[in-house]
Amino acid sequence: QVQLVESGGGLVMAGGSLRLSCTASGRTFSIYAMGWFRQAPGKEREFVSAKTWSGVSTVYANSVKGRFTISRDSVKNTMYLQMDSLKPEDTAVYYCALQRFAKGVTAPTGYDYWGPGTQVTVSS
């Protein structure tokens, strides 16, 4: 089993920044990729960004490209999401997810483990 814990959410004004962290523990010997998703009230969970654990491939949703940066620290088993130029429409619960084997990184169904989520609220 793998446990994921997110941190770094909070309330920020539009134009501000936040950095989310997600630390994996447990059976972390096999990780293909980790990703970030978000879910706003009344909406489906949507892909934000993902990065293969090798660091070779990084993917962003068009809505966050140029504003968000994903990175990882393989020694600490931690994935980060630096969020800059935040907009009110970025308000959502942000979830970290881990994929053991390559199954496509943009669909929630491709992930094996999920964190409990962290709230990000951007005020206008």
Side-chain angles (χ1 to χ4, degrees):
Q1 284 287 34
V2 173
Q3 293 79 43
L4 300 175
V5 178
E6 303 100 338
S7 62
L11 173 64
V12 64
M13 293 187 65
S17 298
L18 285 173
R19 189 176 84 151
L20 305 183
S21 301
C22 174
T23 299
S25 61
R27 297 169 65 87
T28 59
F29 51 85
S30 177
I31 301 176
Y32 173 74
M34 289 182 70
W36 290 96
F37 289 77
R38 66 187 182 187
Q39 189 166 18
K43 295 187 176 181
E44 293 188 354
R45 191 167 298 190
E46 66 172 356
F47 171 75
V48 175
S49 181
K51 193 175 189 68
T52 55
W53 207 238
S54 66
V56 171
S57 180
T58 300
V59 184
Y60 294 97
N62 287 335
S63 59
V64 306
K65 202 172 293 183
R67 300 188 297 121
F68 291 10
T69 304
I70 192 171
S71 61
R72 89 286 188 239
D73 184 328
S74 57
V75 174
K76 296 181 179 179
N77 285 337
T78 298
M79 185 76 78
Y80 304 96
L81 186 68
Q82 177 66 40
M83 306 186 295
D84 299 318
S85 302
L86 282 161
K87 304 175 181 180
E89 52 263 43
D90 294 318
T91 295
V93 177
Y94 283 70
Y95 297 92
C96 169
L98 183 149
Q99 184 175 107
R100 281 199 177 278
F101 306 103
K103 289 180 279 188
V105 298
T106 61
T109 54
Y111 288 82
D112 303 293
Y113 299 98
W114 291 84
T118 185
Q119 176 71 46
V120 171
T121 303
V122 184
S123 64
S124 57

